[in-house]
Amino acid sequence: MHILIVEDDPVIADHILTGLHQHGHDATLARSGIEALAAFEPSAHDAIVLDRLLPDADGLAILDRLRSKGSTVPVLVLSALGSVNDRIEGLDVGADDYLTKPFDIDELAARLAAIARRNQPRPEGALIEVGRLQLDPASHRASFRDAALVLNRKQYSLLAHLMCNADRLVTRSMLLERVWAYSFSPTTNIVESNISRLRATLLDLGCDPIETQRGAGYILRSDRCV
């Protein structure tokens, strides 16, 4: 992969560049938000590693500009800002993953490979599989170990979104926007109640893959779908 590294700290930047080269990747370095926007080419970069505390901008402002222009390139935010609210903010703006400093270079490389795989276009109507959990968009059916899951339309959409983002945090606001098309947070517990019903349906078939990250969102764990 060719990766754009947006990092102003020369020691950290050199560590990332050296490590990614050892993993077989090419990389371009930008030391500021302005440099990042000038250097980024959708056809040339397969992923971005983006620091937040840049000398001229919050990295999330750069990410927001890229997303507003229609860029879907996978972005991993790498930052010393690591609270739950910081991570949620990054994911809400459009980050595909969020890793806090200090970090392990092997984990960084693995996460980049994962978000790049998830960004590969899926053929329309293609079967979605996570372990032995399957979802068929063509027939609008879902199953675990070949046993059918009885789901309403919203639960089906929830499961589809979680499966497409397996092993990745999906925030409540992301689900509200993509499943219910809400651009605001309702006062009801609409997400929580539907997740609870979805989880109960899965549990009836011996599958318990949905992990609640309190105050952050949900993760569908692929190792629990076997």
Side-chain angles (χ1 to χ4, degrees), residues 55-118:
D56 57 348
D58 183 334
L60 296 189
I62 305 304
L63 174 56
D64 188 50
R65 287 190 61 179
L66 292 176
R67 294 299 187 233
S68 66
K69 292 179 179 179
S71 172
T72 59
V73 65
V75 175
L76 184 149
V77 173
L78 180 65
S79 177
L81 302 176
S83 72
V84 170
N85 286 337
D86 290 325
R87 297 197 301 273
I88 291 174
E89 185 181 11
L91 293 168
D92 278 348
V93 171
D96 295 270
D97 202 352
Y98 197 112
L99 184 62
T100 57
K101 301 175 182 177
F103 62 96
D104 181 88
I105 191 65
D106 292 333
E107 181 182 5
L108 174 63
R111 285 174 177 255
L112 284 170
I115 63 175
R117 285 195 301 270
R118 288 198 296 265

Side-chain angles (χ1 to χ4, degrees), residues 1 46 74 109-122 164:
M1 289 193 297
D46 300 301
R111 285 174 177 255
L112 284 170
I115 63 175
R117 285 195 301 270
R118 288 198 296 265
N119 199 56
Q120 294 299 313
R122 185 187 300 274
C164 287

